[in-house]
Amino acid sequence: MLNTKDILETIRMIDDENLDIRTITMGISLLDCADSDINRSCDKVYDKICRLAEKLVPTGCDIEKMYGIPIINKRISVTPIAMLAAVSGGDPVLYAKTLERAAHTVGVNFIGGYSALVQKGFAAGDRELIRSIPEALAITDRVCSSVNIGSTKAGINMDAVGMMGGIILDAAKLTKDKNCMGAAKIVVFCNAPEDNPFMAGAFHGVGEPDCEINVGVSGPGAVRSALAKCPDGDLTEVADVIKKTAFKITRMGQLVGKAASERLGVPFGIVDLSLAPTPAVGDSVAHIIEEMGIEICGAHGTTAALALLNDAVKKGGVMASSHVGGLSGAFIPVSEDAGMIDAARSGDLSIEKLEAMTAVCSVGLDMIVIPGDTPASTISAIIADEAAIGMVNSKTTAVRVVPAIGKKDGEELEFGGLFGSGPIMKLHNDRSSEKFISRGGRIPAPMQSLKN
């Protein structure tokens, strides 16, 4: 049971430590909206989203007022649109326009699912949708896109990897006048989860119910504050403090998810207990690592500290929720984390160190700004490296890089809001991976895929 001390502690976390519910995301299946006529299909998509999500934003606002818990984002994820495009044919961008219109009507800030799942090859509609991503994201503000190019079971589809380097570059070029925001709304996955509530990678998997509510929590500031009270504890004590704090944070997510589910009359899916940072001071995963004793994020020991954090967050959070899913762990998005931004600016955090850290965090290379003259093949090679880490380690990895068109390493790209600002990170652009990427084919699945 909650006691007065628990309640006061939660209030303090909210008021002083940036604790919030980062998102409630309604997942909606659009499989019954498939139609051989793309215009009819789009009408069905719009009608279903508006019908089911009509009260999503007002409900979130009511829950905020009732419990005094900030809910920063209200979002929607939908069935990968490539599946509908396979039936309807025609220009997939019509679906993007429909999703944008529906998002505006119901008032959500983002809608995810302009997506394709091509880990083992291309089905009907997949290539067409992937090729349309740059245009779709350039003409919309709230639509997000993801492509799953690999998995531990299937291996890595290197033909898709090769495509995505060019797609990301084109998306950045088409939105050059919007700080290359198109690329910031694309995530390339290996082992993509089907119930992820976080953008830009959210989509509603085919194994999910017709409609559900998933919740993403936050709270790096609360974890750092708790560790500050344990300045001399050993690492076993540090892990224990993180577990207890993660339990309290996730319990709040469970409360909000159940309340939203009951009010909207749809099933409660999962709590994603990932620590999602923001550019706000005191809301940084990097600062947690530094509180453990690493002078600056990126120094030797950073990967070990992140591994401890990620594991402790999961162990503490899983006990506080009936169902945990999504990504769940610690995010390390460079432009969205004040401590990561500082470490990248100083040169202490490099792309190579970030790649090593992705082997133990909950996702991958996230919101990293790279030079605008980076070749598409180099972007594809970065995707391939990250996918290999996910495939071999049976974990989700992802790449969300933003080519800053017209800018070079050492400069910065300003996004604003939760996207923050990104120091442009140095790459090995003087060394080519073109031949490797152009080979295409598939990287075979590792032996651990044979677990049937």
Side-chain angles (χ1 to χ4, degrees):
M1 291 179 64
L2 287 175
N3 57 35
T4 303
K5 182 181 177 182
D6 291 329
I7 295 169
L8 291 174
E9 183 177 28
T10 302
I11 292 170
R12 192 194 70 249
M13 287 179 176
I14 293 168
D15 288 344
D16 301 332
E17 298 164 7
N18 298 301
L19 180 61
D20 58 51
I21 299 297
R22 186 53 45 85
T23 179
I24 52 171
T25 301
M26 176 176 280
I28 300 174
S29 172
L30 300 180
L31 292 176
D32 57 345
C33 299
D35 196 291
S36 57
D37 183 303
I38 191 169
N39 292 308
R40 281 200 302 266
S41 182
C42 286
D43 288 343
K44 292 178 183 179
V45 166
Y46 178 80
D47 291 343
K48 184 169 186 180
I49 292 173
C50 291
R51 173 171 52 84
L52 291 176
E54 177 185 11
K55 297 180 181 178
L56 176 62
V57 172
T59 296
C61 293
D62 288 346
I63 294 171
E64 282 184 284
K65 293 174 185 176
M66 174 177 288
Y67 294 116
I69 300 170
I71 301 173
I72 306 303
N73 299 295
K74 293 84 177 175
R75 298 165 170 172
I76 294 170
S77 63
V78 299
T79 303
I81 292 298
M83 296 181 177
L84 275 66
V87 177
S88 67
D91 183 1
V93 173
L94 291 175
Y95 285 111
K97 292 177 179 177
T98 301
L99 295 178
E100 179 80 358
R101 187 161 59 98
H104 275 278
T105 299
V106 299
V108 294
N109 66 318
F110 284 117
I111 185 164
Y114 199 77
S115 307
L117 311 179
V118 295
Q119 57 268 25
K120 207 167 184 178
F122 299 95
D126 288 337
R127 290 182 190 272
E128 291 78 10
L129 182 125
I130 291 172
R131 290 192 187 105
S132 75
I133 288 173
E135 180 187 356
L137 299 186
I139 65 171
T140 61
D141 294 321
R142 307 189 189 194
V143 174
C144 294
S145 179
S146 60
V147 178
N148 192 64
I149 50 81
S151 72
T152 299
K153 284 285 187 182
I156 302 172
N157 179 351
M158 290 300 293
D159 293 318
V161 169
M163 285 183 72
M164 289 311 300
I167 294 299
I168 290 169
L169 201 54
D170 288 345
K173 290 176 180 177
L174 286 179
T175 54
K176 179 183 176 181
D177 60 338
K178 299 178 182 178
N179 296 318
C180 307
M181 186 59 74
K185 296 192 294 173
I186 303 173
V187 179
V188 185
F189 277 116
C190 179
N191 291 320
E194 297 193 345
D195 54 5
N196 167 26
F198 287 105
M199 299 296 169
F203 65 89
H204 189 68
V206 295
E208 302 295 308
D210 190 60
C211 185
E212 66 182 343
I213 289 290
N214 296 319
V215 172
V217 299
S218 184
V223 174
R224 184 193 183 191
S225 177
L227 287 179
K229 299 169 187 171
C230 180
D232 301 315
D234 66 20
L235 292 178
T236 302
E237 293 176 77
V238 166
D240 198 43
V241 168
I242 295 170
K243 283 190 289 186
K244 290 176 180 176
T245 308
F247 177 89
K248 295 169 186 173
I249 293 169
T250 308
R251 182 171 57 186
M252 192 173 72
Q254 174 80 8
L255 175 69
V256 168
K258 287 186 69 176
S261 168
E262 291 169 2
R263 286 169 176 245
L264 293 166
V266 300
F268 174 38
I270 57 92
V271 175
D272 184 322
L273 48 89
S274 297
L275 293 181
T278 73
V281 175
D283 200 26
S284 163
V285 168
H287 288 160
I288 297 174
I289 291 169
E290 292 163 10
E291 192 67 49
M292 290 186 202
I294 306 296
E295 184 175 349
I296 188 166
C297 185
H300 298 299
T302 295
T303 305
L306 181 60
L308 184 156
L309 172 64
N310 205 57
D311 180 66
V313 165
K314 291 181 180 181
K315 286 176 177 173
V318 75
M319 296 298 293
S321 177
S322 53
H323 298 286
V324 169
L327 296 161
S328 290
F331 285 0
I332 52 170
V334 174
S335 82
E336 299 176 6
D337 184 304
M340 297 281 179
I341 293 170
D342 290 341
R345 282 175 179 156
S346 66
D348 291 284
L349 188 62
S350 66
I351 190 79
E352 292 82 11
K353 185 59 176 178
L354 280 162
E355 184 179 296
M357 292 165 68
T358 65
V360 299
C361 76
S362 69
V363 60
L365 296 173
D366 193 15
M367 283 304 290
I368 295 172
V369 186
I370 60 176
D373 61 356
T374 303
S377 59
T378 298
I379 299 174
S380 294
I382 292 170
I383 293 169
D385 283 344
E386 198 57 30
I389 291 172
M391 175 184 72
V392 170
N393 291 287
S394 300
K395 72 180 292 290
T396 299
T397 51
V399 171
R400 184 163 52 146
V401 294
V402 183
I405 305 303
K407 294 180 180 289
K408 299 182 179 299
D409 59 86
E411 299 182 67
E412 295 204 11
L413 189 62
E414 181 70 40
F415 299 107
L418 285 176
F419 287 100
S421 62
I424 298 171
M425 305 196 76
K426 183 177 176 58
L427 303 180
H428 296 294
N429 282 339
D430 55 340
R431 296 290 185 262
S432 175
S433 308
E434 175 68 39
K435 183 174 180 180
F436 176 72
I437 296 300
S438 66
R439 286 178 181 272
R442 277 169 57 202
I443 294 179
M447 282 300 295
Q448 57 260 52
S449 66
L450 300 177
K451 291 183 178 179
N452 293 335

